[in-house]
Amino acid sequence: MVLIIGGSYQGKTAYARDNFPEAKYFNQLHLFVKKRLSELKKSYEILDEIKEATKEGTWVIIADEIGNGVVPVDSDDRLWREATGRILVELAKDADEVHRVVSGLGQRIK
Amino acid sequence: MLTLIYGGSSSGKSAFAEEYVCASKHRNKYYLATMEAKDEESKNRIERHRNLRSGKGFVTLEQSVDIAEVLEAIVHIDSGDFSTSSTGTDSILLLECMSNLVANEMFRDGQVNSAKEIEDKIIRDLMELQNHDMSVVVVSNNVFEDGIEYDQGTKEYLRALGHVNKRISVMADEVYEVVVGIPIKIKEG
C-alpha cells in the first residue's frame, strides 16, 4: 500500500495517477473518517475497515493533512482531527511507501 | 545540544520525541510537562501521554509556566542517588509542548501578555535550562496552516508561538518535522 499525504489542492491525485497508474485508489480518506465518526464508529473500527478494504491488490490511499491548524472550537472537529491523524500514523507504519505532496511536487518520505 | 521536533496535531511527534530521547545515552531523562489539567479532555490527553511514556524511565516534572524553575529539582536528582540509569554522565530534558507553554505564559494571572514579552521570556528560560549543560528536546506544534483569519488574541498567540519556534530553530542543532509519524530532518547538526 502507498500512502499519499498533503494539504488540500496540492495535486495529490494527479501525482498519484502519474506515479501509480495501475493502482486502485482510496481517495479523500480524511472525509471517509469524518463520515464514519458521524456514524459513531470508533477510530480502531475505522482503521480496521480501511485495512480490510485495501488488503487485495495495489492500493494508493490519499488523504489531506488536516492537523496543521489551531485547535478547533467544535469537539467533533477536534475528534475528527485527532482520529484522522492517528489513523494516518498507523497506515504509514503499514505502508510500503509514503509520499508527501507540496505544490504538486511529491517527496517520498518512506 | 538542542533539538526541535515540530509537527501537526496527532502527527506522531510525541512518540518520535520519546524514541529520540530514549535512543540517546543520557544518565537521567526528564519530561517537562507543560499542559494543565483543566478539563476532562486535557486530563485524557495527559493520561494518554503518561501511558505512552510509562516504563521508559522518565522523571516527570510538571511546570506550566516559568520552566527554568525545574532546574532546582533536576540539580537535586542529578546530584543524588536517585539516578534513573547508571550509564552516561549527563541529562536530557524533553519539553512537551511549546504550544501549551506559550498559551500558559500568555494568559497567566488573569492577564494577557504581549507576544514580544513572552517570546523573550520563554527563550531566556530555555537558555537557562541549556546553560545547565543539559540536552534539551522541544516538541512544538504546527498550528499555522488552516488559512483561517482569527481574532486579535489568537493572532497574537500564533505570532508568539511562530516566533518562539523560529528562534529555537535558529539555535537548534537538529530540527525535525514529523509527518504521519515519519520524522523528516529539516536542519542538520
Side-chain angles (χ1 to χ4, degrees), chain B residues 83-135:
Chain B
S83 305
T84 50
S85 157
S86 56
T87 56
T89 52
D90 49 3
S91 297
I92 188 164
L93 177 119
L94 172 55
L95 187 160
E96 174 115 35
C97 66
M98 188 50 77
S99 55
N100 278 309
L101 179 63
V102 169
N104 297 341
E105 288 283 7
M106 186 163 257
F107 309 106
R108 65 183 289 186
D109 312 321
Q111 283 185 316
V112 181
N113 297 307
S114 75
K116 185 79 189 97
E117 265 176 282
I118 63 155
E119 283 162 45
D120 290 346
K121 179 188 190 301
I122 288 171
I123 296 297
R124 237 182 1 253
D125 287 353
L126 203 57
M127 298 291 278
E128 209 176 317
L129 293 176
Q130 272 253 281
N131 288 341
H132 187 65
D133 198 24
M134 180 165 57
S135 289

Side-chain angles (χ1 to χ4, degrees), chain A residues 67-68 70 78 82 86 100, chain B residues 8-9 41 45 145-146 177:
Chain A
N68 295 349
V70 172
R78 289 200 294 276
E82 174 154 4
R86 306 255 175 257
R100 182 193 203 193
Chain B
S9 143
E41 202 168 319
R45 283 190 163 266
E145 298 176 11
D146 58 16
E177 182 186 9

Side-chain angles (χ1 to χ4, degrees), chain A residues 3 5 65 67-71 75 78 81-86 88-90 92-93 98 100 107 109-110, chain B residues 7-12 41 45 48-49 141-146 150 154 158 177 179-184:
Chain A
L3 178 64
I5 178 83
E65 173 60 75
N68 295 349
V70 172
V71 180
S75 67
R78 289 200 294 276
R81 192 168 83 135
E82 174 154 4
T84 303
R86 306 255 175 257
L88 285 171
V89 169
E90 289 310 310
K93 284 181 194 162
V98 179
R100 182 193 203 193
Q107 178 191 20
I109 60 174
K110 178 181 176 181
Chain B
S9 143
S10 306
S11 61
E41 202 168 319
R45 283 190 163 266
R48 194 186 149 266
H49 279 261
N141 268 49
N142 179 356
V143 293
F144 306 101
E145 298 176 11
D146 58 16
Y150 289 100
T154 308
L158 291 172
E177 182 186 9
V179 179
V180 294
I182 299 165
I184 302 167

